[in-house]
Amino acid sequence: VQLQASGGGSVQAGESLSLSCAASGRSFSGDAMGWFRQAPGKEREFVAVITWNGGVTYYADSVKGRFTISRDNGNNTLYLQMNSLKPEDAAVYYCAADHRMRTLMLKSLEKEISYWGQGTLVTVSS
């Protein structure tokens, strides 16, 4: 079972970037999925989460209105569209999945998250 994140790169502030997370080994269509990020010297933080059917999404306040999480269960893929990028958005971005959405949203439950992808690096220059 694997979550493969991709799409990271280097952009200038104000530009956009789209991340993908391709799942393999099992279907994640019944799981909530989310994005996290970790900047150098900082703890990993929650970015966005989406329910199994895409019906409900939640975002960190810092990205609300700029980032959009979505998923394609037919292709077993999670997406994160990032617009109006800021230097403070620079980080390694990770995708994750868990049967419970709450597990993906609470810092205290981060250790219980069932599946993690490897990270993809996003660099934003001012």
Side-chain angles (χ1 to χ4, degrees):
V1 179
Q2 187 176 11
L3 296 176
Q4 183 80 29
S6 63
S10 182
V11 298
Q12 292 191 332
E15 294 184 340
S16 299
L17 209 56
S18 181
L19 305 183
S20 297
C21 174
S24 60
R26 71 182 282 274
S27 171
F28 286 89
S29 61
D31 297 284
M33 299 188 75
W35 289 97
F36 294 76
R37 67 186 182 186
Q38 187 169 20
K42 295 187 177 181
E43 286 191 343
R44 185 161 51 192
E45 63 177 0
F46 166 81
V47 175
V49 67
I50 188 168
T51 50
W52 67 274
N53 63 352
V56 178
T57 57
Y58 289 105
Y59 297 90
D61 287 343
S62 58
V63 306
K64 202 173 295 182
R66 300 186 298 119
F67 290 12
T68 302
I69 187 171
S70 61
R71 64 190 298 166
D72 180 348
N73 285 342
N75 288 318
N76 224 14
T77 303
L78 176 72
Y79 303 98
L80 185 68
Q81 176 65 39
M82 305 185 295
N83 298 329
S84 302
L85 281 161
K86 304 176 180 180
E88 51 263 42
D89 295 319
V92 177
Y93 282 73
Y94 300 89
C95 54
D98 195 89
H99 188 66
R100 298 202 312 168
M101 188 176 191
R102 183 170 178 263
T103 304
L104 295 169
M105 295 183 67
L106 297 179
K107 183 66 176 177
S108 60
L109 298 179
E110 187 176 295
K111 292 182 180 180
E112 298 182 17
I113 293 174
S114 299
Y115 300 97
W116 285 99
Q118 96 296 346
T120 185
L121 178 64
V122 173
T123 304
V124 184
S125 58
S126 57

